[in-house]
Amino acid sequence: MRGFGETVFAEMTRLATDTGAINLGQGFPDTDGPTSLLEGAARRIRDGGDSVNQYPPGLGRPELRAAVAADRSRRYGLDYDPSDEVYVTVGATGGIAAAVLSTVEPGDEVVLFEPMYDSYPAVIAMAGGVRRPVTLRPTGPAGRFTFDPEELRAAVGPRTRMIIVNSPHNPTGTVLTREELAVIADLCHEHDLIALTDEVYEHLTFDGAEHVPLAALPGMRERTITVSSVGKTFSVTAWKTGWVTGPRELVRAVRTVNQFLTFSANGALQLAIADALSDVSGEMGWVGQLRAALAGKRDRLSVGLRAAGFDVTHTQGTYFVMADIGPLGGTDGIEFARAMPREAGVAMVPAQVLYDRPTEARHLVRFAFCKRDEVLDAAIARLGEWSRTGARPSRAAQG
Ligand SMILES: *Cc1c(COP(=O)(O)O)cnc(C)c1O
């Protein structure tokens, strides 16, 4: 694991703390999830009973497995047996790790899209796998990121075992269309691949962009391990509760590995999440409001960044926008992101660290917009002042 040192997210968060900068680097909300969800967990822990404060069953609490199965059936028409096709993990991160470790043997190749979420290359390395990245590039007037089907085809070979698909995609904000997913599905059939999908932003899509699970495409349910979690949907990223759905043989393999990684996840939280997914107290309406608010925040930050001189690409979902530092004279995102907390009072993440081919994205940085409007406005004001004067606004002006 040499080469997997401190993550850039941790470095940028530390820089933000050290300099008092506004942190638009790491993607976590600065407001809480629905009160009923928080209260539901607190009440369960306090009341105890039903062994809620003891090890839950290895598969996860039956209430949450049933709620996940019902949710995926209702929204996507995908039916999973809660008794052995739904499995609760410590966050999506735990599910992704167990899925890769249970499927990828040393020397197996894994196709994935770059920019890539930082846990994918790390767990592929732990499994002894070899990653085959396919670059997402901005296309069209809005600069929506997508892949070239020919490049994807060329990345798949005789040793390819798995393809990892994250949609809605962090950090480009792309929501893959049914047509794009069909290209991936065809390759999976042709080469007998297992697909691992990361759908943690499944609810956070904007402007009517529709999230389509890869498992919903013809023949894909039987070869897809789907991972999602509570953190992004309900703004509780600390809760680290996720779920894996898939055909029982694949879920059994994931479970075999995970019983020796974390064994089980927090039981009281699982009960509260089960209620929220079942919309017991209107939590799904809360999610609808979050989605609308995030779309507004995306616009707010994009307008502000453009006014400060960045080029900003169009985001269809998630917490993030990608911005080009070229118009501001920036040539290296790492240098830029390391300097900006001190110079402008705003922290961001350089995109190139999420690529195997960093030259594809030296000019790009990622901003998170999942913050209160006043925080976004303050960051925009600081960036505007910096780009006008080349200097960080004075303490007094920062308010
Ligand atoms: C936040 C995030 C995760 C992690 O989810 P947890 O449930 O907190 O482990 C996984 N994948 C992507 C793309 C993310 O942005």
Side-chain angles (χ1 to χ4, degrees), residues 68 72 80 87 89-100 119-120 162 164-168 195-202 211 213 215 224-230 241-246 254:
V68 167
R72 295 202 85 77
Y80 294 100
Y87 180 55
T89 57
V90 176
T93 310
I96 291 162
V100 170
S119 85
Y120 309 158
M162 173 179 265
I164 302 180
V165 180
N166 168 218
S167 178
L196 170 61
T197 67
D198 177 346
E199 305 183 10
V200 298
Y201 296 101
E202 61 185 305
H211 170 66
T224 302
I225 303 173
T226 299
V227 176
S228 192
S229 76
V230 72
T241 305
W243 39 90
V244 170
T245 46
V254 172

Side-chain angles (χ1 to χ4, degrees), residues 42-202:
R43 178 170 50 77
R44 256 78 174 221
I45 291 175
R46 198 176 43 238
D47 292 355
D50 195 19
S51 301
V52 72
N53 290 314
Q54 309 306 331
Y55 293 125
L59 275 171
R61 296 283 311 202
E63 295 88 343
L64 180 55
R65 285 185 275 126
V68 167
D71 176 65
R72 295 202 85 77
S73 173
R74 187 172 53 240
R75 288 190 299 120
Y76 304 126
L78 280 164
D79 291 317
Y80 294 100
D81 184 342
S83 72
D84 56 2
E85 296 187 316
V86 181
Y87 180 55
V88 179
T89 57
V90 176
T93 310
I96 291 162
V100 170
L101 290 169
S102 70
T103 311
V104 176
E105 298 289 336
D108 282 353
E109 294 180 2
V110 179
V111 169
L112 72 176
F113 297 97
E114 65 176 6
M116 57 185 106
Y117 187 63
D118 64 342
S119 85
Y120 309 158
V123 290
I124 293 167
M126 288 182 211
V130 178
R131 58 182 185 269
R132 291 281 175 235
V134 175
T135 305
L136 300 174
R137 297 196 187 84
T139 53
R144 175 181 179 273
F145 283 70
T146 190
F147 62 90
D148 172 352
E150 285 314 311
E151 243 178 276
L152 176 61
R153 263 185 214 110
V156 178
R159 300 279 340 238
T160 310
R161 175 84 175 132
M162 173 179 265
I163 179 163
I164 302 180
V165 180
N166 168 218
S167 178
H169 184 257
N170 170 7
T172 66
T174 289
V175 180
L176 292 176
T177 62
R178 206 174 276 278
E179 292 69 34
E180 288 164 331
L181 292 167
V183 172
I184 297 171
D186 283 349
L187 276 170
C188 289
H189 292 305
E190 207 175 304
H191 296 270
D192 195 21
L193 309 182
I194 290 172
L196 170 61
T197 67
D198 177 346
E199 305 183 10
V200 298
Y201 296 101
E202 61 185 305

